[in-house]
Amino acid sequence: MEPLRIATAQFEHRNGDKAYNLSIIRQLAAQAAQQGADVIAFHECSITGYTHARHLSREQMLELAEPVPDGDSVRALTEIAREHQIVVLAGLFEKDDQNRLYKPYVCVDENGLVAKYRKLHPFINPHLLPGDQYVVFEIKGWKCGILICYDNNIIENVRATTLLGADIIFMPHVTMGTPSTRPGAGFVDPALWENREQDPTSLRLEFDGMKGRSWLMKWLPARAYDNGIYVVFSNPIGMDDDQLKNGCSMIIDPFGDVLAECRTLGNDLAMALCTPEKLTRAGGYRYKLARRPELYRDIIGQEHQSEQKVVWLNTETDSAS
């Protein structure tokens, strides 16, 4: 494998405005390509918008969703990839030929769809069905996987994708700035975003504190370190429906170190060079070799009824104002 230059982006999407969101994806992809990137990754539902979907009926979801790969958005991503000679990863809502709804993340190059992954643990709309498989694919000789937002909270998903051969896991999110049972969590006041040019300090304190980055850094580097993989984290910045998101899209290496991160209070990208030698030098590589699955095969594989509760879905977001 040759070194791979990856960009991760953040931007403020518009609810349901696919044309606008794709225009920003095009701009940032062009910028990344000009800076030498081979790949650029965007956040979960970056094409369609995300949190507003909690208000949508099944009929409205079907209107917003598209077939993959035959829909207009994947064709637009392919045009962007072809025009700028860059691999593009982005998210949207999908409907299949039986009008079943999913939440996928796609990888597209100049020839079209390279990979599609459906979120295993969707929750933003009750009409979304969960995906049922992991995905591993290649970008320029590198084996890559995808896990969307909540999927990464279940650590078995990260380990399984790694054991299937992934060197890089793309982790698109729409996260942070929501209530939780953990100390310090909560919404970020949208007024701080409106006043960001006059008072960036107050906004940055919220974005970097336990509502945002400080929480992320408790677990995200561990996913990279424990598994000996590169992690490409992508997250929106700005208003997502009535919630404020803090961006900080970043790339983390197999040692758990942040190689690059978006730090502006607006649309941005960060880029890092991924080198193959780190994959075997990192501790996670040795720890995978030292595993003893005979000790825990039956424990991990025992019967279990999945239960998924998302606290903020039942919280009045007006309290953030």
Side-chain angles (χ1 to χ4, degrees):
M1 296 184 296
E2 296 296 323
L4 189 68
R5 196 173 297 275
I6 298 179
T8 182
Q10 65 181 34
F11 72 91
E12 185 176 29
H13 58 242
R14 292 181 182 173
N15 297 339
D17 192 342
K18 290 186 276 190
Y20 172 81
N21 296 332
L22 283 164
S23 75
I24 302 300
I25 288 171
R26 182 182 296 274
Q27 291 174 20
L28 290 169
Q31 182 180 339
Q34 289 168 2
Q35 296 177 18
D38 302 299
V39 184
I40 185 167
F42 295 91
H43 59 268
E44 174 185 20
C45 284
S46 46
I47 296 171
T48 54
Y50 179 63
T51 299
H52 76 292
R54 74 193 194 275
H55 305 300
L56 301 184
S57 66
R58 176 175 172 80
E59 291 70 26
Q60 290 170 319
M61 286 293 294
L62 286 169
E63 184 177 351
L64 181 63
E66 298 181 26
V68 175
D70 297 324
D72 290 341
S73 291
V74 173
R75 281 195 283 266
L77 291 178
T78 303
E79 292 173 3
I80 293 169
R82 184 180 301 123
E83 179 182 355
H84 299 291
Q85 291 297 292
I86 190 169
V87 177
V88 181
L89 294 99
L92 69 163
F93 292 109
E94 176 192 8
K95 58 184 174 186
D96 68 8
D97 56 5
Q98 298 181 50
N99 277 345
R100 292 175 296 202
L101 289 160
Y102 300 93
K103 193 151 73 58
Y105 192 73
V106 297
C107 176
V108 170
D109 68 11
E110 61 183 4
N111 298 312
L113 186 71
V114 174
K116 177 182 73 174
Y117 169 83
R118 290 169 170 168
K119 190 173 185 180
L120 304 178
H121 298 272
F123 60 83
I124 199 65
N125 184 282
H127 302 293
L128 291 169
L129 296 174
D132 60 3
Q133 61 183 329
Y134 302 112
V135 172
V136 175
F137 56 99
E138 284 198 10
I139 298 176
K140 297 191 174 183
W142 289 72
K143 290 188 177 180
C144 302
I146 298 168
L147 293 169
I148 301 174
C149 202
Y150 198 100
D151 297 343
N152 294 281
N153 296 331
I154 293 85
I155 59 175
E156 290 86 349
N157 290 333
V158 186
R159 179 62 105 190
T161 304
T162 303
L163 292 179
L164 287 170
D167 307 310
I168 301 166
I169 299 183
F170 292 91
M171 298 183 178
H173 279 65
V174 176
T175 193
M176 295 180 277
T178 50
S180 169
T181 53
R182 61 180 170 81
F187 293 115
V188 178
D189 189 344
L192 293 174
W193 179 250
E194 295 300 321
N195 197 43
R196 64 189 179 278
E197 292 186 3
Q198 291 76 23
D199 181 16
T201 300
S202 296
L203 179 60
R204 182 58 70 190
L205 286 169
E206 289 282 77
F207 275 3
D208 285 354
M210 281 302 298
K211 293 179 180 179
R213 188 180 189 276
S214 292
W215 163 75
L216 186 74
M217 298 308 287
K218 287 179 177 292
W219 63 269
L220 186 63
R223 300 292 189 268
Y225 175 82
D226 287 344
N227 292 284
I229 55 170
Y230 286 92
V231 161
V232 181
F233 170 82
S234 305
N235 192 52
I237 193 165
M239 295 308 300
D240 169 45
D241 197 33
D242 55 355
Q243 296 181 15
L244 180 54
K245 299 303 173 187
N246 69 320
C248 73
S249 294
M250 64 179 68
I251 298 170
I252 301 176
D253 74 5
F255 297 109
D257 295 328
V258 177
L259 297 180
E261 179 180 357
C262 295
R263 293 296 293 167
T264 62
L265 297 176
N267 297 356
D268 196 12
L269 62 86
M271 189 161 55
L273 186 69
C274 300
T275 55
E277 61 269 14
K278 284 187 178 181
L279 295 169
T280 53
R281 290 178 181 172
Y285 175 77
R286 299 190 296 276
Y287 307 150
K288 284 182 288 187
L289 294 178
R291 289 178 306 113
R292 295 183 58 193
E294 71 276 7
L295 296 177
Y296 39 79
R297 179 183 294 112
D298 293 340
I299 298 171
I300 293 175
Q302 65 185 298
E303 290 295 320
H304 170 72
Q305 182 63 46
S306 179
E307 181 179 294
Q308 185 178 350
K309 294 182 179 179
V310 180
V311 172
W312 65 262
L313 281 178
N314 299 315
T315 302
E316 286 296 328
T317 60
D318 290 343
S319 63
S321 304

